[in-house]
Amino acid sequence: MVPVSLCHHHYHHHGGSCHPATLPFLRMCRIPELQVQSSAFRTSTIMPLLVPRWLCWWRAACTRRAFVQQRMWEGATRISGLGGPAGALGTSPLVRRGSSSASSGAPGVRLTRDRYPVQRLPFSVVSEDDLAALERIIPGRVITDPEELEAPNVDWLRTVRGSSKVLLRPRTSQEVAQILRYCHERNLAVNPQGGNTGLVGGSTPVFDEIVLSTALMSQVLSFHDVSGVLVCQAGCVLEELSRYVEERGFVMPLDLGAKGSCHIGGNVATNAGGLRFLRYGSLRGTVLGLEVVLADGTLLNCLTSLRKDNTGYDLKQLFIGSEGTLGVITAVSILCPPKPSAVNVAFLGCPGFAEVLQTFSTGRRLLGEILSAFEFMDAECLQLVGRHLHLTSPVQESPFYVLIETSGSGADHDAEKLSSFLEQVQDSGLVTDGTLATDQRRIQALWALRERISEALSHDGYVYKYDLSLPLDRLYDLVDDLRARLGPSAKHVVGYGHLGDGNLHLNVTAEAFCESLLGALEPYVYEWTARQRGSVSAEHGLGFKKRDVLGYSKPPEALRLMQQLKALLDPKGILNPYKMLPTRA
Amino acid sequence: MVPVSLCHHHYHHHGGSCHPATLPFLRMCRIPELQVQSSAFRTSTIMPLLVPRWLCWWRAACTRRAFVQQRMWEGATRISGLGGPAGALGTSPLVRRGSSSASSGAPGVRLTRDRYPVQRLPFSVVSEDDLAALERIIPGRVITDPEELEAPNVDWLRTVRGSSKVLLRPRTSQEVAQILRYCHERNLAVNPQGGNTGLVGGSTPVFDEIVLSTALMSQVLSFHDVSGVLVCQAGCVLEELSRYVEERGFVMPLDLGAKGSCHIGGNVATNAGGLRFLRYGSLRGTVLGLEVVLADGTLLNCLTSLRKDNTGYDLKQLFIGSEGTLGVITAVSILCPPKPSAVNVAFLGCPGFAEVLQTFSTGRRLLGEILSAFEFMDAECLQLVGRHLHLTSPVQESPFYVLIETSGSGADHDAEKLSSFLEQVQDSGLVTDGTLATDQRRIQALWALRERISEALSHDGYVYKYDLSLPLDRLYDLVDDLRARLGPSAKHVVGYGHLGDGNLHLNVTAEAFCESLLGALEPYVYEWTARQRGSVSAEHGLGFKKRDVLGYSKPPEALRLMQQLKALLDPKGILNPYKMLPTRA
């Protein structure tokens, strides 16, 4: 099979930014699709069969706001992923999430080693000889230009900053293996990096670790159009893969806000959850095989494409969710479900969180197997999305909103199910306003309200992010609790997330990073979560910033075994050091 | 929450056998349900809306066969799981799969250590002092009676036989921890055992390993009726759990023929696939948490009930599918999907395997998200089920049969989808005859034709079993190939399995175990599979019998890492020795 290189030309409005170091040609791209998208807001279609009278399509207000929305879309494309507390780069065209600090010297982002109490481990320092040796392995792809190294040293949230002096850009697994063999021998620390869209400081160096980027490993190796099994290199961008498989009648089993930048290898290394988890489950089920390079350069080929394979321990599971600390994922085999022929999205306003929960129960019952997403957000989320990104709410202001997606194989059947669901939640007062979209552009527009909350928050100041799993009935209590606890010391306290998975994204913003606010939040949030037997990291992982809170969700015996696994697979500790596992006592 | 002990009183017809050592009272049970089931064959209901004219309901032949069928059901209950090459126990009432050798002294089953070239490792031998110490941990539950030890020493297939002298029956995880701490210190080998329904000799001792049974660990610890999360001890029988959650509006995410005997802990340890895999995916996605006792007696509590939890390495994955070689699973937290309100089963005859594949493609397209199982079997399978179990085919004789199950939330919608599917496969000649069932008893009767193939085979003589993952388009080629290769030296060569998962169960029967037939089969079957990049064990695991073929599906680097993991978690190798990993060079 001939490997197919994914084209990076297409653009979507989702908070993405093209990595300038890796895709400089994108700066010249035109964006015709976006103009189409913006105009889509002006027209509206009625589906009388489906839509109860109270559900009006893109209500009158939308027309009036069309101009604003057009600006919004263009603005979103040009500056998405930018801003944050320190210096928005509004004039830089077409940079994607993951590269916000690309050309500015990352002013205002303190070095991680200064902000946090962390000590460099006794790894070697990269020498001129090392650079020459690495250059022999990947000629012309050993980057030492300080300007090019700014982006990979800073995270998307602009909260951590390393001081790596070397960026490596291998194209093949064999090159990765040679690089790691060399680094292992020389005791050089390595920071594997995909799209650098992580939210816990897991994808950027802490000190001077060598950055090993998967950006040039972006080939589709095979796709089987009966089984839907996709095999590709680790550096393929999720959105590109989505487009690739959708053209062939399938969808990727995961989707997330950072899709325009994140790499599939990084998704797997983080065990990303995202927006389709409710329907297609965890990557632990959908990833069929992995190719991984171990710390010592051993190439471990478990790139099977079989749905069932019980031959020995399932080694790939070790690397899924291990955040690059046990091996570097170089290729992924993943099962893509058939593309649903009918997709509907409803965006509804609810008077309270109890009603959100009841809407969820009703949806699970009446929508059954076609329910593919159930997201919620509070009023402040939508206010922030409006204020910072100029997205307008399609429904009346409400204390809570839910976004419900259905995906099915029969449009009429799905419409009937959805209609009966909507009637029931309206009649019982669970939902006070709502809108429904069936065509792809409106669906994307509704999804943007949810997907771009994280981006809107980053425009609001410094963001304290918590990604928690909690019992459904207590899911929002912590947000209320924190609003009362923090009072005016926080700018905003918001809650949103994947309700269907019991996953709350709790975010607190402030004008700037502030130790005393941090002290009010931590360990309070973690202790609260532990009391509910929740998880202090549902889907973002632990990275650098959360590694010391692991103990809130796992017992000491588990921590010990994790340390033992790390020691077994990476005895010198060169892979993504200072990440995931707690500081040793 | 008060733990609920599961009742073991109910009986189903599925090839199960109650473990006499653990549930002796069952011998006295009456079996009213079965009589109802048998009579269900006599009546039939028409669903004219749905059923194309060519699909007749339980065709005329059924009525005529009613007497035979009634005998069949009774027979199946009384002697299910029995037989095999050596002495059927037709007179023994109500023994379930897993205990076939319970009362006969297992005549004819050669000791594993005699049949296979295997050497006992230098573990200690259980002494009187050991027995006394174990008795102090679990008073009255240290079994040394040779008669009671016969059943746990022999596998259900009657192909391997150990010579353990001690059976331990703990009730709690703490007892398991104390037992393992003791055995670890004393260097005593331990064979964890659930329902002993495994097919690869993984659940029975090879020499004198202590059998550690989970049979008394059968309590449901909690069930959450909004989320569907079930937490239970490892020894709960799958069928009992199914009944428990179905009463509460949910289903277990897995189902398999041995449901009447197998323990959920064993299912997880084997990473069982089964009949619902196509719809609900792997246990790696649906198992949310595990409690495990490590080899040295450390109790590892990862019994979380969260859908998403990315705090550290996902340790539970190590134990899923590790066949008791890395730790003993003592409790399981598992996500149960909502019970579908509409279930339909179609049983169809296809003129060739190409048509089976096309029927599958058509089903995936037209049935979409409601397709919950797609099983196939060849003509010989149904002949054997007829001959040995007296089940009759509900459709005309065909070269192949498929069983298609749909599960959905809207009966009318599902019926329409199914109807349009059936019309299409009939019109295009993919299917030449078929029948459809919508009520539970008929559905179970159709399922029995598929689920009881394994049992029918065991009545046919010695069975050489292969459980392979293969590319769909080559799936059946191996069966044809072997028929030609083996000629009359095999009694039957049959193929059936989970087509939707690419999983072929290839079975070859002979009057008795025969070295030369084995030589014709192996390594031929494994080499054939390896050439297709298939898996030599899709869902049964490796156990004792397949451990040396691991290398056909995994590279040497993977084997080495597996050995390292084993050494890390069980440095003395006391847990289920001689299983899963290849004999060391």
Side-chain angles (χ1 to χ4, degrees), chain A residues 348-364:
Chain A
L348 313 171
C350 293
F353 192 71
E355 286 80 6
V356 169
L357 290 178
Q358 283 178 272
T359 303
F360 176 54
S361 299
T362 311
R364 261 217 316 207

Side-chain angles (χ1 to χ4, degrees), chain A residues 224-228 250 270-275 277-279 281-282 284-285 294 296 298-323 325-326 338 360-361 364-370 407-410 412-414 416-417 469-473 498 500-503 532-542 549-550 553-555 557-566 568-569 580-581, chain B residues 224-228 250 270-275 277-279 281-282 284-285 294 296 298-323 325-326 338 360-361 364-370 407-410 412-414 416-417 469-473 498 500-503 532-542 549-550 553-555 557-566 568-569 580-581:
Chain A
H224 194 275
D225 56 11
V226 173
S227 64
F250 291 82
T270 318
N271 189 28
L275 306 164
F277 190 100
L278 180 68
R279 174 66 168 272
S282 157
R284 297 192 178 276
L294 302 183
D296 65 0
T298 301
L299 188 65
L300 184 69
N301 186 341
C302 296
L303 203 56
T304 165
S305 292
L306 308 164
R307 287 209 68 182
K308 288 179 174 175
D309 179 19
N310 276 352
T311 51
Y313 307 139
D314 189 5
L315 297 177
K316 69 171 182 285
Q317 299 292 344
L318 279 172
F319 305 101
I320 299 176
S322 69
E323 304 187 35
T325 62
L326 297 181
F360 176 54
S361 299
R364 261 217 316 207
R365 188 161 45 80
L366 296 180
L367 299 171
E369 64 279 1
I370 64 167
S407 311
S409 61
D412 292 350
H413 293 164
D414 295 5
E416 274 179 47
K417 288 188 175 90
S469 277
L470 288 168
L472 274 187
D473 47 357
H498 316 290
D501 313 320
N503 184 183
Q532 309 297 325
R533 306 196 59 195
S535 169
V536 293
S537 179
E539 60 174 13
H540 293 170
L542 297 167
V549 304
L550 175 48
S553 291
K554 293 287 160 67
E557 298 80 16
L559 265 71
R560 198 166 61 235
L561 184 48
M562 291 181 201
Q563 300 277 15
Q564 289 172 331
L565 286 170
K566 171 71 176 176
L568 173 65
L569 278 129
M580 194 148 193
L581 295 178
Chain B
H224 193 275
D225 56 10
V226 173
S227 65
F250 292 82
T270 318
N271 189 28
L275 307 164
F277 189 98
L278 181 68
R279 175 65 169 273
S282 157
R284 297 192 179 277
L294 303 182
D296 65 359
T298 300
L299 187 66
L300 184 67
N301 184 342
C302 296
L303 204 55
T304 164
S305 292
L306 308 164
R307 288 209 68 181
K308 288 179 174 174
D309 179 20
N310 274 352
T311 51
Y313 307 140
D314 190 4
L315 298 176
K316 70 171 181 285
Q317 299 292 343
L318 279 172
F319 305 100
I320 299 176
S322 70
E323 303 187 36
T325 62
L326 297 182
F360 176 54
S361 299
R364 262 219 314 208
R365 189 161 45 78
L366 296 181
L367 299 171
E369 64 280 0
I370 64 167
S407 310
S409 60
D412 293 350
H413 293 163
D414 294 5
E416 276 179 45
K417 288 187 175 91
S469 278
L470 288 168
L472 274 187
D473 46 358
H498 315 290
D501 314 320
N503 184 183
Q532 308 298 327
R533 306 195 62 194
S535 169
V536 293
S537 180
E539 59 174 13
H540 293 170
L542 297 167
V549 303
L550 175 49
S553 291
K554 292 287 159 69
E557 299 80 17
L559 265 71
R560 196 165 63 234
L561 184 48
M562 291 181 201
Q563 299 277 18
Q564 289 172 334
L565 286 170
K566 172 71 176 175
L568 173 66
L569 277 128
M580 193 147 194
L581 296 179

